């Protein structure tokens, strides 16, 4: 025999229906159905027994003196007795729930327990009921909504047919619940069965018709009937439950706190001359083919309640027997044992927030159209795809539950700081009426699963739409690339000296070229424009002859440098001439300069003095014309200890590369970004309380670094990236330091620029030419002499 049990643990009239009885000789006999009473207004009592923590529930607890008041001595203290209705309404102990269930039945192969069908039935009570069923030694257990169990009972007795929409009105503690279920025919083992389909949470309508209201009326009736001035001893009188549920309440002997006895003579029934009110229910059951009423009450209470419901629905209401839910739970257990469909349920929607390239949007993790067979696990078919930003060791997830008023923010600590953006997937796993959904995060790259704790998340004080609106901000700004423009002024003669036209003409055929004069003119910036732009462009007004002369001199300069690399003795001015042509400079020069860096310590034939090395570094920053040279330069710069960088060499070169190139920022990893930022922070700190003569490349390097947002659009933004927060603090300290009266000149040079740097760190840059302004604010721009 497979033992089956259906539980209706409700606290008002607890019952279990099972398919076996125990005969007087102790043998078990299988029967279609046997009701086991758990007691009216059921309780759990604490005794001195050693087993089950001394907890006893069911009929035995109902007749026990434990917790009945001071008149019963030590065992009568109130802590020894707890109402099941209070247990279910609060934060229940699994041990107490187990005692309540065991008090009716245990050791079944398959067991089903009822749940009130409204939003206040928490996932926590679901989880604890399931735990209690396991502790009751139910091998396979399931929770099912009262509305569904009542409908299953009606299906079994032939009241309902296929395709109908059933309205179910259930009597509950605070009033009534209203639910609408559709009846489906489902295949099962070569046959078919009818199964309810639930598409929404039942609606709770509060009313004094609820069991709590009836209990209060019963208590008032007993107080009126009592001959004692005290009322505490009436709390546990059996007449309370019997009157509230419409059963005959007989005379009862009750014990008072002083040990005296009172013979309580309760009224025959409650007075329904003043009936509790119910709202109009017509709209709630509109379109239903049949309306079922499920109540635990009997006698006059049942009749009055039925009449009130019928009146407020305006139609016939089919009232079920008082044990319908327990019987329905037994039918559900039988289906569970046969793997027949029991019912189909929707899952409350759970949503998160995902960031797209151009917008933030709500992402639903549950298919709202799908209903799931009872007991089956649902998994989001399409997970939300999120990302952990580089530099973070934790990230936040925003969640909304359909059953919760406000969304929550959960923080997931991954335990390690990632050096690049790591994609993660977020999905939900849940079974109907089986407690909290598992909200899971998986990162294939990290090889970890994380579970998000809804209860441990922070509840927010705004609704979902307001939260989404708050995220609808444009992507953080990306500082514009620095392009140093060219102009004709540098080519023309001026009162200060010959222009580039004249210098080219005078030097193109000279035996000894004046490389210094040519380099000085190329590095000059009359009117804020160079002779050649940083992208290597020549002004359109320059004639072909002059361009040809320039090219011939470039060839001669290359020959001289080649000779110098072999023999030495040629100086650096021919190299200066080449590097001040920016990206127009032949690629060969980039190779020479990168190779030179490796010889800085042991000596170089051209860069023979310390100041020459500014040219070796800054020159490469000017002329690196392709991604290959940029990658080599970045690799070598980051191969050095950040603490040993020199502001005019490594800092300047990295600033040039990141600020002037579209490709260089893309070559950085998050680890690289962190290291460069460390250098920025050091230079800002070292310049505090100074004259700021060594500061010009630090702001340029910082803003150039922000151009890494080309790779990670939401990186290095204050409030979202800890590194950005540190950079903001450094800039703010510098601004405050510049306010000192001894630093008027550097304040004029850098004050406005640094305020705009703060805007960029906040992702709200307002000056697309910020890098150009930083460059122009420096005393000499690229000062490599």
């Amino acid at each position: 025999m497979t033992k089956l049990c259906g539980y209706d643990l409700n606290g008002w009239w607890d019952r279990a229906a099972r398919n076996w009885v125990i005969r007087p000789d102790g043998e078990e006999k299988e029967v279609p159905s046997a009701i086991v009473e758990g007691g009216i207004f059921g309780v759990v009592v604490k005794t001195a027994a050693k087993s089950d923590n001394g907890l006893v529930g069911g009929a035995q607890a109902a007749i026990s003196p434990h917790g009945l008041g001071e008149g019963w001595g030590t065992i009568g203290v109130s802590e020894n007795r707890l109402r099941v209705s209070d247990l279910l309404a609060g934060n229940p102990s699994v041990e107490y729930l187990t005692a309540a269930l065991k008090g009716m039945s245990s050791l079944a192969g398959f067991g089903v327990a009822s749940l009130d069908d409204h939003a206040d039935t928490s996932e926590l009570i679901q989880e604890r009921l399931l735990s209690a069923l396991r502790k009751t030694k139910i091998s396979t257990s399931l929770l099912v909504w009262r509305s569904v169990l009542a409908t299953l009972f009606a299906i079994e007795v032939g009241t309902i047919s296929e395709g109908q929409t059933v309205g179910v009105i259930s009597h509950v503690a605070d009033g009534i619940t209203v639910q609408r279920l559709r009846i489906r025919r489902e295949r099962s083992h070569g046959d078919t069965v009818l199964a309810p389909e639930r598409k929404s949470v039942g609606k709770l309508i509060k009313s004094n018709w609820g069991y709590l209201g009836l209990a209060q009326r019963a208590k008032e009736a007993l107080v009126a009937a009592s001959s004692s001035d005290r009322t505490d001893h009436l709390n546990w009188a059996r007449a309370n439950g019997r009157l509230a549920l419409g059963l005959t309440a007989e005379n009862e002997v009750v014990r008072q706190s002083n040990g005296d006895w009172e013979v309580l003579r309760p009224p025959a029934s409650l007075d329904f001359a003043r009936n509790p009110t119910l709202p109009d229910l017509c709209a709630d059951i509109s379109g239903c083919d049949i309306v079922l009423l499920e109540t635990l009450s009997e006698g006059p209470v049942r009749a009055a309640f039925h009449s009130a419901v019928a009146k407020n629905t305006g139609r016939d209401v089919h009232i079920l027997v008082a044990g319908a839910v327990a019987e329905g739970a037994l039918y559900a257990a039988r289906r569970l044992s046969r793997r027949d469909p029991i019912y189909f349920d929707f899952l409350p929607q759970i949503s998160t927030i995902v960031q797209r390239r151009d917008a933030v949007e709500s992402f639903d993790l549950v298919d709202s159209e799908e209903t799931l067979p009872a007991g089956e696990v649902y998994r989001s078919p399409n997970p939300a795809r999120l990302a952990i930003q580089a530099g973070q060791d934790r990230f936040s997830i925003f969640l909304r539950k359909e059953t919760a008023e406000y969304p929550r923010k959960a923080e997931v600590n991954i335990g390690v700081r990632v050096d690049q953006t790591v994609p993660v997937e977020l999905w939900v796993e849940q079974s109907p009426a089986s407690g909290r959904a598992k909200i899971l995060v998986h990162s294939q790259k990290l090889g970890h699963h994380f579970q998000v704790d809804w209860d441990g998340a922070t509840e927010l004080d705004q609704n979902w739409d307001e939260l989404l609106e708050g995220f609808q901000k444009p992507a953080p700004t990306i500082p514009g690339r620095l392009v140093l423009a060219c102009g004709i002024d540098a080519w023309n003669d001026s009162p200060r000296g010959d222009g580039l036209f004249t210098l080219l003409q005078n030097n193109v055929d000279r035996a000894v070229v004046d490389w210094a004069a040519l380099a000085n003119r190329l590095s000059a910036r009359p009117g804020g424009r160079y002779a050649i732009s940083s992208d290597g462009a020549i002004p359109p007004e320059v004639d072909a002859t002059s361009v040809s002369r320039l090219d011939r001199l470039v060839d001669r300069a290359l020959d001289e440098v080649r000779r110098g690399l072999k023999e030495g003795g040629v100086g650096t001015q021919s190299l200066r001439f080449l590097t001040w042509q920016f990206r127009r400079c032949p690629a060969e020069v980039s190779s020479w300069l990168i190779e030179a860096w490796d010889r800085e310590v042991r000596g170089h034939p051209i860069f023979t003095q310390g100041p020459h090395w500014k040219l070796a570094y800054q020159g490469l920053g000017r002329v690196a014309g392709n991604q290959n040279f940029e990658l080599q330069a970045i690799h070598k710069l980051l191969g050095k200890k950040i603490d040993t960088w020199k502001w005019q060499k490594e800092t300047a070169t990295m600033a040039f590369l990141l600020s002037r190139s579209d490709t260089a920022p893309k070559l950085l990893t998050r680890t690289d970004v962190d290291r460069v930022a460390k250098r920025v922070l050091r230079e800002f700190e070292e310049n505090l309380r100074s004259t700021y003569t060594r500061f010009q490349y630090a702001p340029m390097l910082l803003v150039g670094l922000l151009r890494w947002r080309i790779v990670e659009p939401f990186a290095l933004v204050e409030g979202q990236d800890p590194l950005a927060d540190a950079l903001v603090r450094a800039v703010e300290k510098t601004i405050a330091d510049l306010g000192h009266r001894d630093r008027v000149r550097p304040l004029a040079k850098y004050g406005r620029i640094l305020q705009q740097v703060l805007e960029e760190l906040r992702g709200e840059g307002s000056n697309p030419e910020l890098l150009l302004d930083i460059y122009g604010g420096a005393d000499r721009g690229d000062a490599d002499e």
Side-chain angles (χ1 to χ4, degrees):
M1 173 181 63
T2 300
K3 291 184 179 180
L4 313 173
C5 189
Y7 294 93
D8 185 13
L9 185 70
N10 52 69
W12 308 108
W13 194 344
D14 299 327
R15 291 184 176 92
R18 63 189 192 184
N19 71 336
W20 81 94
V21 294
I22 302 176
R23 297 190 302 194
D25 61 4
E27 291 296 319
E28 296 176 348
K29 178 184 177 183
E30 186 171 3
V31 295
S33 175
I35 297 294
V36 181
E37 293 286 347
I40 295 171
F41 281 27
V43 295
V44 174
V45 299
K46 186 169 183 60
T47 71
K50 294 182 179 179
S51 61
D52 298 325
N53 295 317
L55 299 177
V56 176
Q60 284 184 293
I63 62 174
S64 166
H66 292 76
L68 287 181
E70 295 176 9
W72 292 92
T74 304
I75 65 170
V77 295
S78 59
E79 291 81 2
N80 286 341
R81 197 175 194 89
L82 183 65
R83 293 189 191 277
V84 173
S85 58
D86 292 338
L87 192 65
L88 295 172
N91 187 9
S93 155
V94 172
E95 286 72 21
Y96 274 83
L97 288 173
T98 302
L101 292 168
K102 267 190 174 182
M104 294 184 285
S105 185
S106 63
L107 297 171
F110 295 86
V112 172
S114 64
L115 282 174
D116 284 352
D117 189 357
H118 58 77
D120 291 345
T121 300
S122 70
E123 294 171 334
L124 181 61
I125 187 69
Q126 295 173 31
E127 291 175 0
R128 294 191 175 177
L129 271 172
L130 285 169
S131 294
L133 285 166
R134 287 192 289 270
K135 286 181 176 290
T136 308
K137 298 184 178 178
I138 306 298
S139 300
T140 304
S141 56
L142 188 69
L143 301 180
V144 180
W145 308 105
R146 296 188 71 84
S147 59
V148 172
L149 294 176
T151 304
L152 284 174
F153 174 83
I155 289 172
E156 291 294 330
V157 298
T159 306
I160 293 174
S161 57
E162 177 185 354
Q164 286 186 319
T165 297
V166 180
V168 184
I169 299 173
S170 291
H171 202 174
V172 295
D174 291 315
I176 62 171
T177 61
V178 183
Q179 178 61 279
R180 301 163 66 93
L181 303 172
R182 185 173 71 90
I183 306 303
R184 297 167 45 167
R185 183 169 293 278
E186 294 293 321
R187 291 187 175 277
S188 179
H189 308 306
D191 199 354
T192 60
V193 295
L194 298 182
E197 181 180 46
R198 180 176 178 264
K199 296 286 285 185
S200 64
V201 178
K203 178 181 179 181
L204 174 62
I205 299 173
K206 294 191 175 183
S207 165
N208 285 334
W209 265 117
Y211 296 123
L212 284 171
L214 293 173
Q216 180 61 34
R217 292 182 68 175
K219 175 70 180 297
E220 292 169 358
L222 291 186
V223 169
S226 174
S227 60
S228 172
D229 294 334
R230 300 175 180 271
T231 60
D232 290 349
H233 64 292
L234 302 177
N235 291 336
W236 298 107
R238 294 188 181 88
N240 279 295
R242 298 188 69 84
L243 280 176
L245 295 180
L247 299 169
T248 301
E250 299 176 350
N251 292 347
E252 183 178 352
V253 179
V254 290
R255 195 167 196 174
Q256 302 181 55
S257 60
N258 62 3
D260 291 343
W261 297 90
E262 177 189 1
V263 178
L264 181 63
R265 295 178 173 83
S269 66
L270 294 180
D271 180 10
F272 284 100
R274 52 180 185 88
N275 277 358
T277 59
L278 276 176
D280 189 313
L281 302 174
C282 294
D284 295 305
I285 50 89
S286 175
C288 292
D289 299 299
I290 186 173
V291 177
L292 304 178
L293 176 61
E294 174 266 305
T295 177
L296 302 169
S297 62
E298 296 281 12
V301 174
R302 180 182 180 85
F305 181 52
H306 185 196
S307 175
V309 171
K311 177 181 176 182
N312 287 276
T313 58
R315 58 182 293 175
D316 290 337
V317 174
H318 184 88
I319 190 166
L320 302 175
V321 298
V325 169
E327 294 278 6
L330 177 59
Y331 297 142
R334 184 169 289 116
R335 291 192 180 197
L336 184 62
S337 71
R338 295 172 177 172
R339 297 187 178 179
D340 287 342
I342 301 170
Y343 79 108
F344 294 82
D345 204 356
F346 85 105
L347 292 174
Q349 186 58 261
I350 298 175
S351 306
T352 189
I353 292 175
V354 296
Q355 172 71 55
R356 304 300 186 196
R357 276 279 176 178
D358 54 350
V360 169
E361 62 185 40
S362 178
F363 187 95
D364 292 340
L365 296 164
V366 177
D367 186 344
S368 60
E369 298 302 316
E370 186 171 351
T371 53
L372 201 67
E376 187 171 312
V377 177
Y378 174 88
R379 180 181 172 119
S380 305
N382 299 305
R385 302 188 187 282
L386 312 174
I388 307 171
Q389 295 296 327
Q392 295 181 329
D393 61 359
R394 65 196 64 212
F395 64 102
S396 295
I397 294 174
F398 294 89
L399 296 166
R400 175 190 62 174
K401 275 190 177 184
E402 186 178 337
T403 52
E405 183 177 2
Y406 291 106
R408 298 192 178 194
K409 177 184 177 181
E411 186 175 86
V412 179
N413 189 336
I414 59 178
V416 60
R417 189 180 298 275
V418 297
D419 61 3
Q420 57 185 301
T421 297
V422 175
V424 295
E425 292 185 342
L426 174 71
W427 72 89
V428 163
E429 285 185 0
Q430 188 174 19
S431 293
S434 296
R436 288 167 289 190
K438 289 183 180 179
I439 304 171
L440 303 170
V441 178
H442 174 65
S443 166
Q444 186 172 1
K445 190 174 186 66
L446 296 176
H448 287 302
H449 277 88
F450 307 94
Q451 185 163 339
V452 179
D453 181 11
W454 168 268
D455 292 323
T458 303
E459 185 175 81
L460 304 177
D461 59 357
Q462 55 190 153
N463 64 39
W464 192 245
D465 291 337
E466 291 170 339
L467 182 62
L468 280 170
E469 186 176 346
F471 280 110
Q472 299 299 341
K473 296 178 181 178
T477 52
I478 300 175
R481 182 171 71 90
L482 172 60
V483 178
L484 301 172
C486 60
I488 199 64
D489 289 352
W491 293 77
N492 294 325
D493 296 342
S494 72
R496 293 187 175 185
D498 293 340
L500 194 56
F501 283 129
T502 299
L503 289 172
L504 292 173
Q505 182 179 353
N506 293 342
N507 282 279
V508 66
D509 292 319
R510 283 180 58 175
V512 179
V513 177
D514 188 350
W515 297 116
L518 287 164
N520 289 340
R521 194 57 182 169
L522 285 171
S523 67
R525 200 172 171 228
R529 294 173 182 269
Y530 289 104
I532 299 173
S533 81
S534 58
D535 282 347
I538 293 176
E541 301 94 327
V542 176
D543 61 276
T545 299
S546 296
V547 173
S548 176
R549 289 169 178 165
L550 176 62
D551 289 340
R552 286 171 60 194
L553 284 166
V554 166
D555 289 338
R556 292 187 63 182
L558 291 172
D559 288 340
E560 180 165 315
V561 174
R562 291 187 189 103
R563 186 174 69 255
L565 290 172
K566 290 181 179 181
E567 304 169 6
V570 300
T572 60
Q573 294 304 318
S574 54
L575 256 178
R576 284 189 67 232
F577 164 74
L578 290 169
T579 65
W580 277 104
Q581 295 175 60
F582 298 100
R583 292 192 173 189
R584 193 177 189 277
C585 181
E588 190 174 4
V589 175
S590 295
S591 298
W592 291 337
L593 293 174
I594 286 175
E595 290 168 2
W597 290 6
D598 294 330
R599 301 179 61 177
E600 186 174 0
V601 175
R602 66 178 187 270
H604 191 272
I606 293 179
F607 304 117
T608 59
Q609 301 176 28
H612 290 168
W613 288 100
K614 286 190 291 183
L615 170 60
Y617 281 87
Q618 293 187 19
L620 181 60
R622 284 192 290 270
V623 304
N626 63 51
Q627 192 168 321
N628 178 46
F629 291 129
E630 291 170 348
L631 181 61
Q632 291 184 65
I634 289 172
H635 178 73
K636 288 183 180 294
L637 291 172
L638 292 175
K640 296 185 175 186
K641 292 183 179 180
I642 292 293
D643 294 341
T644 65
W645 279 20
K646 299 295 187 292
W647 70 282
Q648 287 181 309
K649 293 163 55 183
E650 291 88 356
T651 297
T653 305
M654 185 67 83
F656 293 174
L657 291 170
L658 297 181
S659 63
R660 300 178 186 183
S661 166
D662 274 330
T663 54
K666 298 176 183 178
L667 302 176
L668 299 179
T669 66
R670 177 63 198 219
T671 300
D672 299 336
V673 170
D674 289 344
R675 295 194 65 215
V676 174
K678 181 181 177 182
R679 182 64 201 180
V680 171
L681 292 169
R682 182 185 177 101
E683 296 211 5
F684 269 78
E685 182 68 26
E686 288 178 345
N687 277 281
L688 292 175
R689 297 172 294 281
S690 74
T691 57
Y692 286 85
T693 54
R694 299 185 174 192
F695 186 64
Q696 66 192 63
Y697 299 120
M700 185 184 298
L701 180 59
L702 170 52
V703 178
L705 187 63
L706 296 184
R707 300 192 68 249
W708 193 61
R709 290 178 187 158
I710 295 171
V711 179
E712 295 294 343
F714 291 86
L716 299 173
V717 178
E718 182 188 17
Q720 300 180 33
D721 190 324
L723 180 57
D725 296 341
L727 291 168
V728 165
R729 290 193 294 271
V731 175
E732 289 175 338
K733 282 176 66 176
T734 298
I735 292 172
D737 186 58
L738 289 172
H740 192 277
R741 63 183 181 180
D742 293 339
R743 288 181 270 283
V744 175
R745 284 194 63 200
L747 174 63
K749 186 186 299 184
Y750 296 116
R752 181 182 62 85
I753 284 171
L754 291 178
Q755 290 291 349
Q756 293 178 343
V757 170
L758 285 178
E759 291 178 359
E760 288 289 358
L761 280 165
R762 290 164 184 148
E764 302 169 351
S766 60
N767 180 9
E769 302 294 339
L770 177 56
L771 279 166
L772 185 60
D773 288 349
I774 293 172
Y775 185 88
D779 293 327
R780 287 289 311 276
D782 296 6
D784 61 9
E785 293 183 281

